[in-house]
Amino acid sequence: MKRLLYLITGLDYAGAENQVIQLCRGFRNKGYTVQLVSMLKPAAYLDELAELGVEVKTLDMNKGVPDPRKIFLLKRMIQAFKPDIVHSHMVHANLIARITRLFVKMPLLICTAHNINEGGKLREFMYRITDPLCDLTTNVSQEAVNRYIAIKAAPEHKIVFMPNGINLTKFSSNDSDYAAIRAELGYADEFIWLAVGRFVPEKDYLNMVTAFSEIRMEFGSCKLLIAGVGPERAAVESLCRQLRVAEHVRFLGIRTDIPRLMNAVDAYLMSSKWEGLPMVLLEAAASELPIVATDVGGNKEVVIDHLNGYLAAAADTENLVHNMRKLMLHSVPERKSMGAKGRAHVIKHYDIDAIINGWSKIYEKTGN
């Protein structure tokens, strides 16, 4: 029975964390003994991991506060667990895993980046100089892999594309829920856009709300729902008031019923300045929602322009408005056809069972 340790920067309700939970489930089902270590104190998924039989430990670090002593705490955890494979996720975990390998045996270390931009020149330099300490780097979009090679964050022979996967039974279109969920939300026939994600600068919600305010002037009966929390929420709410769309933009906070929400809306909207391969786009496509998203990172690998949605230039409000307008002018059957094509694309390329099998092959091949 192989022993697999996942190391992650933090454990919260977000895309990379969601993917790691799915990997934990997949490899527990394959008979692996799995342990998860979070650098920050975990804030989500603890009950789910306990049910899976995954032990969760934490380095109990404070966000934004480097603490070299935690390298030796991680060393002791690895010595106690004796993993056959250490698989780190996100930049801070990737770097601490590599440095810790100087002090403890790791038969196999794989590092996964989840974004095309992980924080500037210093982090890119740190990736470059610590690369000899890992066996393989992966990224969740081909666009990001190409960029990492170009900036020499990883050599071409030591980085591969491995996408996120999605549980297709959890996300699917369910028309019978449409009216019921809308009634719960207090809506009837309005065109509803949905956005899900943290209120942080890279998501560019200020641009999204500005674009929505222009769309409202053309299509009076439309709403925008945003699910998530984060430091920029107050600024986005303030802009909604300034643009006089506050009563048409609804802030939902953290939601654990995203699959149900996706069955109650008409389209998905993303305005990010940069991305890796967003789980939420896979979820929206699997739910047969037509999508308007910015053309950043791996978005174009999920949203095939003019097939299951439209791609807009990042930080370009007018272009975002243009693409939102195009989608809203489609008839309901046309939008449903786009959504069906999006789900077919996800089934073909992002089924979590296929992704788990892909990781199995990487673990076995790289470990030999």
Side-chain angles (χ1 to χ4, degrees):
M1 183 182 294
K2 286 193 175 182
R3 302 174 73 81
L4 170 59
L5 186 146
Y6 286 114
L7 174 66
I8 192 165
T9 301
L11 197 57
D12 211 331
Y13 292 111
E17 292 89 335
N18 175 286
Q19 187 64 187
V20 172
I21 300 307
Q22 294 197 59
L23 294 181
C24 287
R25 180 183 296 107
F27 281 98
R28 283 293 292 140
N29 289 340
K30 284 181 173 288
Y32 282 58
T33 299
V34 181
Q35 184 179 94
L36 189 150
V37 177
S38 173
M39 294 173 65
L40 305 175
K41 187 175 180 179
Y45 298 113
L46 293 176
D47 290 343
E48 189 170 344
L49 288 165
E51 289 178 11
L52 290 172
V54 175
E55 183 181 18
V56 179
K57 291 183 173 292
T58 180
L59 301 182
D60 203 20
M61 298 179 74
N62 296 313
K63 192 170 185 178
V65 181
D67 187 348
R69 296 172 299 177
K70 301 300 182 178
I71 292 170
F72 299 98
L73 175 56
L74 178 59
K75 170 192 170 183
R76 293 193 294 273
M77 289 178 178
I78 291 171
Q79 286 174 326
F81 184 62
K82 296 182 175 60
D84 301 294
I85 304 157
V86 176
H87 187 173
S88 58
H89 290 260
M90 300 192 291
V91 59
H92 297 94
N94 292 340
L95 294 176
I96 196 173
R98 293 175 179 191
I99 293 167
T100 303
R101 203 179 195 188
L102 292 169
F103 304 100
V104 66
K105 181 182 178 182
M106 298 183 200
L108 177 63
L109 173 59
I110 295 175
C111 300
T112 293
H114 283 261
N115 215 314
I116 197 168
N117 179 351
E118 289 202 301
K121 298 292 185 183
L122 177 59
R123 291 179 184 177
E124 293 167 4
F125 173 73
M126 290 298 295
Y127 265 134
R128 193 176 308 132
I129 65 171
T130 60
D131 177 77
L133 296 171
C134 80
D135 297 291
L136 184 71
T137 297
T138 76
N139 209 314
V140 296
S141 78
Q142 185 61 53
E143 188 80 5
V145 168
N146 296 343
R147 180 176 182 273
Y148 275 51
I149 293 169
I151 64 175
K152 297 182 170 55
E156 186 171 3
H157 69 282
K158 281 186 65 180
I159 184 168
V160 298
F161 163 53
M162 190 64 190
N164 290 331
I166 184 172
N167 181 347
L168 287 159
T169 62
K170 185 176 180 181
F171 291 89
S172 60
S173 177
N174 188 342
D175 288 339
S176 64
D177 281 346
Y178 184 81
I181 302 167
R182 281 182 169 241
E184 291 175 22
L185 294 168
Y187 299 126
D189 299 326
E190 300 93 333
F191 187 104
I192 302 178
W193 292 93
L194 174 67
V196 179
R198 282 176 51 77
F199 286 86
V200 289
E202 58 265 33
K203 300 301 182 184
D204 204 7
Y205 280 118
L206 297 175
N207 181 34
M208 179 186 291
V209 166
T210 303
F212 176 75
S213 71
E214 293 192 27
I215 283 291
R216 273 282 310 171
M217 289 188 281
E218 295 183 49
F219 303 87
S221 183
C222 66
K223 305 290 182 183
L224 170 62
L225 308 182
I226 306 177
V229 296
E232 287 208 331
R233 174 169 168 168
V236 177
E237 289 180 312
S238 176
L239 182 60
C240 287
R241 291 190 293 270
Q242 292 175 36
L243 296 174
R244 299 182 180 179
V245 292
E247 63 183 287
H248 307 292
V249 179
R250 189 160 173 178
F251 295 84
L252 301 176
I254 291 176
R255 299 287 296 230
T256 57
D257 61 345
I258 298 301
R260 292 184 74 242
L261 279 177
M262 287 187 171
N263 280 321
V265 303
D266 298 287
Y268 191 82
L269 184 60
M270 176 175 280
S271 54
S272 300
K273 293 178 181 176
W274 63 84
E275 284 287 353
L277 183 78
M279 285 295 299
V280 71
L281 279 191
L282 296 176
E283 293 165 0
S287 300
E288 299 191 28
L289 285 177
I291 300 167
V292 172
T294 43
D295 188 4
V296 296
N299 288 5
K300 65 184 176 186
E301 296 167 30
V302 181
V303 183
I304 311 304
D305 202 26
H306 289 78
L307 181 76
N308 64 314
Y310 297 107
L311 293 169
D316 186 334
T317 302
E318 289 309 310
N319 195 233
L320 189 60
V321 169
H322 172 72
N323 284 283
M324 292 170 70
R325 181 188 299 114
K326 278 198 298 186
L327 194 147
M328 292 183 74
L329 287 172
H330 283 309
S331 67
V332 172
E334 287 171 333
R335 293 200 302 268
K336 285 187 174 294
S337 176
M338 294 178 79
K341 291 171 184 174
R343 180 170 173 83
H345 179 67
V346 170
I347 289 171
K348 184 176 181 180
H349 297 285
Y350 301 102
D351 179 12
I352 188 61
D353 292 333
I355 301 303
I356 294 292
N357 289 334
W359 277 119
S360 292
K361 292 175 183 177
I362 286 177
Y363 292 163
E364 292 165 7
K365 180 180 178 182
T366 313
N368 292 330

